[in-house]
Amino acid sequence: MRYTILILISATSILSNINAQEVIHPWEFKINAGYNIGGTSPLPMPVEVRKIEKYSPPLFAPHVAFEATRRFNNKWGLTAGLSFDYKGFSVKDSVLNLHTEIKMNDKTYIGTFTGHNETKIKNSYMTIPVMASYHISDKWLVQAGVYAAYLYSSGFSGTASNGYIREGDPTGDKTEVNEASFDFSDELNKFDFGLQAAGERGFSKRFAIRGQLAWGLTPVFHSDFTGVPFKMYNVYGTVGVSYKL
């Protein structure tokens, strides 16, 4: 009995020390900064898009975030935060019988376009991620979860050129298109929801190199919008650094 009591007292003391160690710093706060690169794209690539001729990421595509992590033990935690992201790119492609809406000579044409297309996307989001955090070691951290984002500045526009449009369907009246324009900025969904994962490699007590992937599950256009015949999603990666406060 005496040995049993001593063992229980020792075990209680050890557990108390472990718990005390775990709650010394139950909260972690970080600031993340990086560069977004990726695309707002149909998945998979539709047959109407015959060839991607050029893809250009923007020079200015920042990611700035504040995140807080509640540590449950030395391995696991729950992370939430707030980030501001500029997501965009420009792409040139050739298309065949792409249903769309274009403006040329102050007239709107709705039908199937064949020719060259250039699209520029400039969207700014305020994002709230919620992720599980797992510390593989003192230097390595991985996170996975979901995000919800609000679109507060939108831009989705471009030109159609060197082709023709048939009004209505591929058998409609044919109109030559030297250069026309389109602007679908007002047709974008204000909210985006998707999956998010990240990884960090610490290289000092406070700084870490960080990589992140955000994969949208919500189509970027309203469900009743017909100017683009397929669903498009935000898929963007972020490369940057993390600073522990």
Side-chain angles (χ1 to χ4, degrees), residues 47-123:
V47 295
E48 292 93 338
V49 179
R50 291 309 175 109
K51 182 181 179 182
I52 303 295
E53 299 174 347
K54 183 180 179 181
Y55 166 86
S56 301
L59 295 177
F60 183 76
H63 162 83
V64 180
F66 170 81
E67 68 174 40
T69 299
R70 176 63 169 89
R71 297 285 295 271
F72 301 121
N73 53 45
N74 63 342
K75 292 292 185 182
W76 288 97
L78 181 65
T79 299
L82 178 66
S83 71
F84 295 90
D85 293 273
Y86 181 101
K87 296 180 177 181
F89 68 102
S90 62
V91 62
K92 294 181 179 180
D93 51 28
S94 57
V95 298
L96 176 66
N97 292 333
L98 174 68
H99 182 82
T100 188
E101 301 176 10
I102 59 175
K103 289 185 178 181
M104 185 172 60
N105 299 326
D106 296 326
K107 180 180 178 180
T108 299
Y109 295 84
I110 301 176
T112 56
F113 172 73
T114 297
H116 294 274
N117 174 74
E118 181 175 1
T119 302
K120 295 182 179 180
I121 297 175
K122 303 175 182 179
N123 294 327

Side-chain angles (χ1 to χ4, degrees), residues 31-43:
I31 294 177
N32 304 326
Y35 176 80
N36 289 315
I37 184 171
T40 302
S41 172
L43 297 171

